[in-house]
Amino acid sequence: MELSAEGKTPEYMALAGIKFKLSLPHLKNDPQLKEQLLQGIKNGNMAPYYKEVCTDLGWPMDQKLYDQMTKENQDRLANFKEDDSETPVWQDRLDYLCSIGDKEAATALATSKYEDATLTTNRRLDGIFAMFRIAYFHGCNVKEMGKAINKAHELVDKGGDWRSRNKLKAYEAIYCLAVRDYSKAADLFIDCVSTFESYELVDFGTIIQYCVLACALALERHALQSALRRQGAAVQALRSRFPELRELVESLHECRYADFLKSLAWVETQICVDPVFRPHYQHYVREARIKAYVQLLRAYRSLSLDNIADTFGVTREFVEEEISTFTAAGRLQCRIDAVAGCVVTGAGRGADADRSQLYQATIREGDLLLNRVKKLASVINF
């Protein structure tokens, strides 16, 4: 897909991100964001959304403005009449309800169309995708997004066409990011980037950013570059629009760990104000640092703390504290020799280290399983 062939995402979808930023303590009084949100609401005559924003953000409501926009909404909705044409008017009505932020009415209409067994599978899927967008737009409600994905899978398995299956990949990939399933998100993004057409949800640039962030954490070093290279549009976007993300991927692949941490610091500033990533941004940054440590340490039996500190461009004290924390949590298979001032992997090289980590995970999960079996046995009368 060429960047010049991008579709257009509805302007109102960007307002959800602005509203989310204004809900954060350090941005709640940002005059530029306030002006952008209010102007977007006025341009779209979004009366229901204006009321929601005033309630959620504690803004004083301009009753005259609200009444004017409400009248405009009522006039527009009165012009929608159901017919039996191939492109049903209810779809246009649903799109309009979504565009003005009328959550209740849009949800009710989308749900009714999903439950209408007389409609084709693809039409019912359009209703489900609308339910996902509503949950995504109004506070990124992960629970409702998950319900929509489950319903979509049920219908797609019964006979959805290629277009619906392709759209579902993009929707599900974003949901997977919201629940920290980076591996599945990476696979789905890689599959749908070249054929992406879900512009009603997010723009192509956002998909590229999410794809790179998911792949950077989920894929191994050798697979990361090859996966992205197969996506011509992704490579083009990284070069022209997202140089920071390009540096994140390349620095990790080329083992330039000091540059990787600098890029990761920039990424943190971006994802901490993203409604999908916000609940997990600290977890994401921590996992990315762990991945860098694992990638470095798996090549050595031991490595001095000073060497690691120089490689990452940080102090020895920082490295020692962080590796101690990750080791105690079972995330790094190594130990610190305080006398020698080095990190000892103990398990040898890569395959052995991975085997050791798998062994420890199996022991932990086995203990959990045995405890659950004992609890179950105590309540079952054999």
Side-chain angles (χ1 to χ4, degrees), residues 186-258:
D187 291 339
L188 290 169
F189 278 127
I190 290 172
D191 283 345
C192 74
V193 161
S194 59
T195 55
F196 177 74
E197 57 179 26
S198 301
Y199 296 103
E200 73 282 356
L201 177 62
V202 293
D203 58 69
F204 188 61
T206 300
I207 285 293
I208 292 296
Q209 294 179 72
Y210 284 168
C211 176
V212 172
L213 290 173
C215 291
L217 204 61
L219 301 182
E220 290 295 330
R221 176 172 172 265
H222 66 278
L224 179 58
Q225 283 285 63
S226 61
L228 293 179
R229 282 172 181 166
R230 292 196 300 269
Q231 305 297 332
V235 173
Q236 183 182 351
L238 288 176
R239 289 176 177 173
S240 61
R241 295 164 58 177
F242 308 112
E244 297 87 357
L245 288 178
R246 178 187 178 189
E247 177 63 11
L248 178 78
V249 173
E250 291 185 349
S251 60
L252 183 61
H253 181 261
E254 297 169 3
C255 302
R256 294 185 282 110
Y257 298 112

Side-chain angles (χ1 to χ4, degrees), residues 121-123 125-126 129 156 160-169 171 197:
T121 299
N122 290 332
R123 292 298 182 193
L125 280 167
D126 287 338
F129 290 144
V156 164
D161 60 10
W162 179 88
R163 170 184 166 275
S164 298
R165 293 176 185 274
N166 189 52
K167 278 183 172 290
L168 179 56
K169 289 178 182 178
Y171 281 73
E197 57 179 26

Side-chain angles (χ1 to χ4, degrees), residues 17 40 96 130 188 298 319:
Y96 182 71
L188 290 169
R298 68 171 29 169
V319 166

Side-chain angles (χ1 to χ4, degrees), residues 331-347:
R331 301 306 310 281
L332 291 178
Q333 302 303 312
C334 62
R335 61 183 177 83
I336 295 178
D337 187 335
V339 176
C342 66
V343 175
V344 181
T345 62

Side-chain angles (χ1 to χ4, degrees), residues 11-44:
E11 294 181 1
Y12 75 89
M13 290 299 293
L15 300 184
I18 300 174
K19 176 176 177 284
F20 177 77
K21 290 179 180 178
L22 286 168
S23 69
L24 302 176
H26 65 290
L27 292 174
K28 65 179 181 179
N29 295 317
D30 189 302
Q32 185 176 359
L33 290 176
K34 285 184 175 182
E35 178 60 27
Q36 288 178 359
L37 181 56
L38 185 58
Q39 193 59 47
I41 289 173
K42 290 179 179 178
N43 291 342

